Amino acid sequence: MAFTPRYLLGHDNGRFFLFETGGRHYDYDIVSYCWGKEVDAYYCTHIDGVEWPLTIRDSKVRRFKELMLRNGVQYMWVDSLCINKEDKHHEAEELSRMFEYYKNARNCYLLIDMPALFDPHRIASDLKLLDHILSNIGGASMVSDAMRLSPELKERHRRWAEEEFWVRDVLSKPMVRTAGIDLGVLNCYNTCVTRVQSLFANKYFTRVWTFQEMIQMPAAVGKNIQIVGVAGGKMSGIGPLHEWMDLASDCRDKAAKLYDWINDPRAVRTSSINVVLAVIDNDLRILRMLQTMVRGINAARTDIINGGQFWWRENPRGISNIFSAISITPRGCSRMHDLFRGLLGIFSGLFAPDEIQTDIAGDDIEKISFAFFKRLSTRTGHAWTKLAVSSRERGEWDWIPVTEQKTDNLDEELEDEEEDEYEEGEIRVVGESEPSPTEELKKTGMEQNIFEKKKKNPIKTDIFAGVTTLGVLRNKGRAKTYGLTGLLGVPRKFMTIHLKQENPQFHFIFRGCNCGKKLKAGLLKSTTIPTYVQPIDINGDETGRILAQCATILGCVLDPGTDPLAYKMRLLSKLDPQWQTSDASARPWRWPERCVSGTRWADPNCRLWLRTHNMSMHYRLPAVTGCESRLASGSTAHISCELRINCGCVIIAPFSLLFEALTAVQGSALGGVVAACDRDDRIVLNDGLGLVQIGDLGKTFNLVAFGGDLDFHRNHALQCRRTKDGRPVEFMTASPQGRALLSSDFTHGFMHMFRNYGYVRTEAGHLLICRNHPLDRYKIKGVCIDQYMATKNAAIGEQSVTIK
C-alpha cells in the first residue's frame, strides 16, 4: 500500500478541515511555496482540526484553500498546516519522511507570488517566430518585406515593432533604428528573455526548502509539476515547471543566434551596434548560468529517480552535483539549521527522527555542519570536505569543513517586503488579448537587471560551494587519497587579507607604501610623494575607466611580471560589473580596453611605467549596481576586505573584487571553471566561492609563497623611489611563486624544519596539506592559489596519503 502522510488538509462541499489519516490510503496533492516572514503564533479559525498554533500568514493559508478549489483538489499536504512545529518530535518525524511524501503525491504545485503572470506557450510561440526569422532572413534584410514570412507572421512581426510595449530603456528605439536593427525582432527577443529571467529571479528560486522540494517533485510525479502564480490578488496557472526550464535553454539559443544575426553581416560596427551586442552578450552570460542550474537540477532528478530513496549512498558524483546546484545561486532561509534540514529530503535516511532533534537542531551552525558531513562521510564511505581555509584541530575528522557562526535576521525581513510589494500591486494576468505586463516589471525595479537584489548577509548555501570528496574514509576519521608531496621551499607570508566589515557600496582604496616618502628628482633633488586620502565619488559614465585602472593596479600588485592588460581582461570578465550610465557610449564594446584607450593605462608595458608603490587613491563607485560574478552573490557579497603587502601597500575593496583578483592571476588553480556541466549534466564549480565565509568576518588570512623572492615588493618599492620620473622601473627579482591561502594562526618556524608539505587535487581546487614528521598524518592547512607547485617528487607523481 502506498505511503500516506500522517495529516492532510481536506475539502468537502466548501468545508476545509485537517485530519489524521490513521495509516489509510488517500490520493493527495502537495504544494511547494515560500513561507515569507513568520508572524506571531495564532490559531486558525476557518479550517477545522488545526489544533496547534500557526506562524504562517493567514493570507497564505487562504491561498491554499483557493488553490484546492481552483484545481478541484480534495486532499493536500501543506507543511505549514500538517506539521505541528510546537512538537519537535513530530516535526523531526515529518522531516525524515519528506522523500516519501513527495514520491507518493499525485500532483505537485509551485505556488509563487509574482509581479506579473506570463503564458509559457505564448513565449514559446514568440521564440519560434524569432527562430524562423533568424534562420530564414538575413540580418541585413528588411524583415517586414521578406517573402519567406506568411501574412500571419508578418502581422505578428508588425505588432512587435509597432504596438507591443518596448522593454529595455537602455536600448532606445531611435538608437536601434539608427543601428539598422529590426525593431520587431529585438523587441520580441527582449520581452521573451526578460519574462523568463523574471520567473527564475523569483524569491521561490532563492530558498533552501524550495530547492529540495523542486528536486524531489520530479522524482515523484515526473512532468506533472504545475506552477501557479499569484499577482495582484489573482491566481492563475502559468504552466509546468519543465516548460519554463526548457524556455531558459531556448532563450540562450536565441540570444546566441541573434548575436550572430546582427554581427555577421556587418563589415563595420557602429557604436549603437556595439551597445546592442553588449546587452545580448550580458544576457548570454546570465542565461548560461541559468541553463547550467537547470541542467544540474535535471541531473539530480535523474540520479534520484534511478537510485531511489537511498540514491546518495553509492553516487558521489551525484552528491557533488547537489551541493553545486544548491550553491550556484546562493539560497537563504530564516533559521541557520534549515540550511541542512532543507536537504534531509534529498538525503533521505541520513538522520533518524531522534537524531534530527539532537544533531540538526539549534543555532550552533558549526556543530550542525560537523554532524552533517561526518554522517554523510560514514554512510557513503567517502570523506566529504570542501575548498575552504577554515579548519579545526579535533584530533580526528580534522578535514571536515567548518561553517563559521554568523547571525543576521534582516534578510527575511527584506524578502517579506518584496512579497508585500507583489501582493499589493495591481497587476494584470496576461492573456492573448491583454497588453504586455512588462511595465509592471519596471514598476517593481526588475527590468534593468532582473537578478540584482541588494540584501544584508545571512548565512546562505554558498557554504556548500566547493564541497568535494577528498578520498576514501578509513578508521578513526581518516581519509585515504592521492596527493603530491615534498613541496620545495617553506611557506613564507608576504600578504594578509583581513575581512573588515560589511559595506554594500562598491569602493576601491589604494595606498602605496611610498606615499609620504621622498622620490628622487635629480642628482641632489627629491620631492615628497603625495598621499590622496580624500574620497572621490565617480559618476556612472566614468565608472568603466576607473574599474579598468583598479584592475590594472591589482594586476601589478598580485600578478607582477605578467601582462597587466591580459590580467585586467581576465579579472573584469570574471567580475562582470554592472553600472548605470547616462550614455550608452560610457560602456562601449570591450569596455575594459576602450575606456582607457589612448592613456598610459593601455600601454602594454604599463607595468614598467606605473609606479604603483607611489600611487594612492580613494574611489567610491555608487553607480555600480552589482556584479554577475558568483562571488558577488553569496553571503560574503557585501564584505569589505583589506589586503596588506609586506612592503606596506594597502588595498581596501569589496570581497568579490579582491578574491576574484586572486582567481585571475596567471596559472591560478581557482576560477578555471565558473560553472560547467560534465557529460551527464552534473555541475562542476571552481571559482573560489565558499573559500571564506560570512562567519569569518573579522578574521585575517595569510597569503604565503613557497618560492620566488619574498622581498620582491619591497625591492620594487625601493626602485620606484630611486628611479627618476619618466624612466621605466624594471623588476629585479622573481615574484613570489607557489602561493597558497592559509589561516593567520598557522606558522612555520625553526621548530618545524621536518615538516613535509604537499597538495591534493580536487574538482573544486587544490588543498594544501602538511605533516610535522614522517610518522605523522597529513592535515589540510589551506588552499593553493597556483595550479603548479614545485615538488621534490614531481617525477614520481601522486602518492597515497592519509589525512586526519
Side-chain angles (χ1 to χ4, degrees):
M1 184 173 64
F3 188 89
T4 302
R6 180 176 176 182
Y7 290 95
L8 286 174
L9 176 63
H11 167 249
D12 183 27
N13 294 324
R15 172 176 166 264
F16 290 88
F17 53 93
L18 193 73
F19 69 101
E20 191 166 2
T21 61
R24 293 183 296 274
H25 172 69
Y26 291 88
D27 289 330
Y28 66 94
D29 293 355
I30 203 163
V31 61
S32 176
Y33 58 96
C34 288
W35 274 53
K37 182 183 178 182
E38 291 188 355
V39 298
D40 293 338
Y42 68 95
Y43 286 92
C44 183
T45 58
H46 51 87
I47 297 179
D48 296 335
V50 183
E51 299 178 352
W52 45 78
L54 305 180
T55 56
I56 189 171
R57 289 182 178 185
D58 185 65
S59 60
K60 185 80 76 174
V61 175
R62 294 182 185 276
R63 285 185 189 169
F64 302 145
K65 297 165 63 175
E66 181 183 354
L67 176 66
M68 294 178 71
L69 290 172
R70 178 187 177 279
N71 293 279
V73 177
Q74 186 175 8
Y75 303 111
M76 177 174 282
W77 189 79
V78 186
D79 59 353
S80 57
L81 301 179
C82 299
I83 298 178
N84 180 7
K85 287 189 168 291
E86 297 290 309
D87 185 342
K88 297 305 178 183
H89 180 70
H90 175 214
E91 182 182 19
E93 283 188 334
E94 296 293 277
L95 289 175
S96 67
R97 295 172 179 168
M98 295 289 281
F99 183 91
E100 288 90 346
Y101 287 0
Y102 282 92
K103 178 181 179 181
N104 291 286
R106 185 185 61 172
N107 297 301
C108 294
Y109 300 97
L110 310 188
L111 187 62
I112 299 180
D113 293 296
M114 303 177 66
L117 304 177
F118 307 112
D119 181 3
H121 298 131
R122 179 175 177 179
I123 296 175
S125 177
D126 290 333
L127 288 173
K128 185 64 177 177
L129 169 65
L130 185 62
D131 202 21
H132 180 78
I133 294 174
L134 299 180
S135 301
N136 293 281
I137 302 172
S141 303
M142 298 290 291
V143 177
S144 57
D145 295 331
M147 300 295 293
R148 295 186 177 183
L149 286 182
S150 66
E152 179 187 356
L153 294 183
K154 285 185 178 181
E155 175 60 20
R156 289 177 61 186
H157 171 264
R158 185 197 65 78
R159 288 201 302 267
W160 277 114
E162 300 175 6
E163 297 178 6
E164 294 287 353
F165 181 79
W166 187 259
V167 174
R168 282 174 166 160
D169 290 340
V170 69
L171 301 178
S172 66
K173 282 188 175 182
M175 184 191 71
V176 175
R177 287 195 186 98
T178 302
I181 300 174
D182 188 89
L183 290 175
V185 168
L186 197 59
N187 196 27
C188 178
Y189 161 80
N190 286 337
T191 303
C192 292
V193 168
T194 301
R195 290 176 177 178
V196 172
Q197 289 181 353
S198 70
L199 178 79
F200 288 102
N202 189 278
K203 181 178 66 174
Y204 179 90
F205 296 96
T206 67
R207 310 303 287 165
V208 174
W209 287 101
T210 55
F211 173 82
Q212 170 184 252
E213 293 158 3
M214 191 167 52
I215 292 288
Q216 292 179 83
M217 283 183 183
V221 292
K223 299 294 186 181
N224 200 15
I225 309 165
Q226 298 294 321
I227 302 178
V228 179
V230 179
K234 184 174 181 179
M235 182 179 292
S236 177
I238 60 172
L241 175 62
H242 75 92
E243 289 187 1
W244 285 95
M245 288 185 165
D246 289 344
L247 286 175
S249 298
D250 203 18
C251 282
R252 183 186 175 190
D253 175 74
K254 302 307 175 286
K257 289 179 178 178
L258 181 61
Y259 186 99
D260 293 338
W261 189 78
I262 295 173
N263 182 55
D264 289 351
R266 289 166 170 80
V268 177
R269 291 202 314 225
T270 64
S271 59
S272 298
I273 291 290
N274 287 336
V275 170
V276 174
L277 292 178
V279 170
I280 298 174
D281 187 58
N282 187 60
D283 287 339
L284 280 168
R285 285 193 290 269
I286 296 174
L287 292 168
R288 182 184 67 246
M289 190 68 72
L290 178 57
Q291 186 190 28
T292 301
M293 179 189 74
V294 167
R295 292 173 65 184
I297 289 174
N298 285 331
R301 297 170 179 169
T302 303
D303 288 334
I304 295 174
I305 290 172
N306 285 277
Q309 180 177 0
F310 304 111
W311 68 274
W312 49 272
R313 292 181 177 176
E314 297 180 346
N315 194 340
R317 296 190 67 82
I319 293 175
S320 294
N321 177 60
I322 290 292
F323 290 122
S324 296
I326 199 172
S327 62
I328 190 171
T329 300
R331 296 167 178 261
C333 54
S334 57
R335 297 179 180 87
M336 286 186 288
H337 64 222
D338 285 344
L339 288 166
F340 294 89
R341 287 191 168 198
L343 294 176
L344 295 181
I346 297 174
F347 296 105
S348 180
L350 186 61
F351 288 90
D354 58 330
E355 293 171 330
I356 295 175
Q357 293 184 75
T358 57
D359 298 341
I360 313 294
D363 292 329
D364 190 344
I365 198 68
E366 296 181 33
K367 176 184 77 73
I368 294 172
S369 64
F370 176 77
F372 184 89
F373 284 106
K374 180 179 179 180
R375 177 60 59 86
L376 184 63
S377 299
T378 55
R379 290 294 178 88
T380 62
H382 293 269
W384 288 96
T385 186
K386 76 185 296 277
L387 196 75
V389 180
S390 55
S391 63
R392 285 288 184 273
E393 294 289 342
R394 307 184 184 100
E396 294 179 349
W397 309 92
D398 290 351
W399 44 265
I400 288 184
V402 174
T403 302
E404 299 290 352
Q405 199 76 22
K406 163 69 178 176
T407 303
D408 191 331
N409 296 321
L410 295 178
D411 182 63
E412 190 181 12
E413 296 176 6
L414 285 169
E415 290 187 347
D416 184 56
E417 292 174 5
E418 293 173 16
E419 184 176 7
D420 290 343
E421 184 180 19
Y422 294 165
E423 290 179 355
E424 295 171 5
E426 297 180 0
I427 304 175
R428 295 180 295 273
V429 179
V430 179
E432 286 296 328
S433 60
E434 295 177 328
S436 168
T438 311
E439 294 178 73
E440 308 300 342
L441 290 178
K442 296 186 70 174
K443 290 178 184 178
T444 57
M446 295 179 67
E447 183 271 337
Q448 185 66 29
N449 189 334
I450 207 75
F451 283 167
E452 290 172 2
K453 297 280 185 182
K454 285 192 174 181
K455 299 178 182 179
K456 291 291 183 180
N457 289 311
I459 293 182
K460 294 185 179 181
T461 55
D462 53 319
I463 64 171
F464 298 123
V467 170
T468 184
T469 177
L470 180 61
V472 178
L473 183 65
R474 296 302 189 198
N475 294 332
K476 298 182 179 180
R478 295 170 180 172
K480 196 78 169 180
T481 187
Y482 289 90
L484 289 166
T485 59
L487 288 183
L488 294 174
V490 296
R492 298 170 296 166
K493 180 176 71 173
F494 69 102
M495 289 186 188
T496 62
I497 299 178
H498 179 68
L499 275 60
K500 289 173 61 67
Q501 59 193 12
E502 296 184 40
N503 182 359
Q505 187 179 63
F506 202 93
H507 56 285
F508 186 82
I509 303 172
F510 180 77
R511 186 173 67 250
C513 58
N514 287 340
C515 291
K517 298 179 180 179
K518 298 296 183 179
L519 170 67
K520 184 176 181 180
L523 184 60
L524 298 174
K525 298 179 181 178
S526 63
T527 59
T528 302
I529 299 172
T531 304
Y532 300 101
V533 296
Q534 190 68 23
I536 300 174
D537 290 321
I538 306 300
N539 67 50
D541 292 344
E542 296 180 22
T543 297
R545 172 177 59 85
I546 297 301
L547 287 171
Q549 292 177 6
C550 295
T552 305
I553 290 173
L554 285 169
C556 292
V557 171
L558 295 176
D559 208 12
T562 63
D563 182 357
L565 302 188
Y567 175 90
K568 173 187 68 178
M569 293 300 296
R570 288 196 302 272
L571 170 55
L572 295 178
S573 175
K574 292 170 178 287
L575 186 67
D576 196 8
Q578 307 293 317
W579 68 92
Q580 298 174 339
T581 64
S582 63
D583 191 303
S585 297
R587 185 171 176 140
W589 179 251
R590 294 185 66 85
W591 66 268
E593 295 177 341
R594 183 63 185 87
C595 287
V596 294
S597 178
T599 71
R600 61 175 181 165
W601 299 92
D603 186 348
N605 294 314
C606 65
R607 66 186 180 89
L608 303 178
W609 300 95
L610 290 176
R611 305 185 183 198
T612 51
H613 297 275
N614 297 358
M615 302 171 70
S616 59
M617 60 202 68
H618 185 170
Y619 294 140
R620 295 187 299 206
L621 292 84
V624 175
T625 56
C627 301
E628 294 300 331
S629 164
R630 288 199 329 121
L631 271 66
S633 61
S635 305
T636 50
H638 299 155
I639 287 181
S640 179
C641 297
E642 179 182 276
L643 185 146
R644 288 184 174 271
I645 310 169
N646 59 4
C647 63
C649 290
V650 178
I651 302 174
I652 300 176
F655 167 87
S656 56
L657 177 58
L658 278 186
F659 275 79
E660 201 68 86
L662 291 177
T663 72
V665 299
Q666 190 173 38
S668 173
L670 299 171
V673 179
V674 174
C677 293
D678 64 13
R679 66 178 185 177
D680 294 320
D681 283 346
R682 298 189 183 100
I683 302 174
V684 177
L685 298 177
N686 180 234
D687 61 356
L689 184 63
L691 195 62
V692 297
Q693 305 158 22
I694 185 65
D696 292 319
L697 192 64
K699 293 185 178 181
T700 300
F701 299 92
N702 293 337
L703 199 60
V704 303
F706 283 83
D709 182 10
L710 199 65
D711 293 323
F712 171 87
H713 292 91
R714 294 191 185 100
N715 294 332
H716 189 246
L718 185 62
Q719 290 295 110
C720 288
R721 291 201 311 270
R722 291 181 174 179
T723 306
K724 293 182 181 179
D725 272 336
R727 294 182 181 179
V729 180
E730 299 285 349
F731 295 126
M732 306 304 293
T733 57
S735 60
Q737 302 295 323
R739 293 161 290 188
L741 193 66
L742 305 175
S743 176
S744 61
D745 58 6
F746 180 82
T747 59
H748 181 98
F750 177 76
M751 299 298 294
H752 306 127
M753 59 185 302
F754 294 108
R755 270 186 181 167
N756 187 348
Y757 292 90
Y759 62 95
V760 176
R761 295 168 175 160
T762 72
E763 284 187 344
H766 297 351
L767 293 167
L768 184 72
I769 59 175
C770 86
R771 66 181 181 187
N772 290 326
H773 54 79
L775 299 180
D776 198 6
R777 307 292 183 184
Y778 284 95
K779 293 183 179 181
I780 296 174
K781 290 300 180 182
V783 174
C784 300
I785 301 299
D786 288 322
Q787 181 82 23
Y788 173 75
M789 309 277 281
T791 67
K792 305 172 186 176
N793 305 321
I796 301 176
E798 292 185 324
Q799 302 178 58
S800 176
V801 295
T802 300
I803 300 176
K804 70 174 183 178

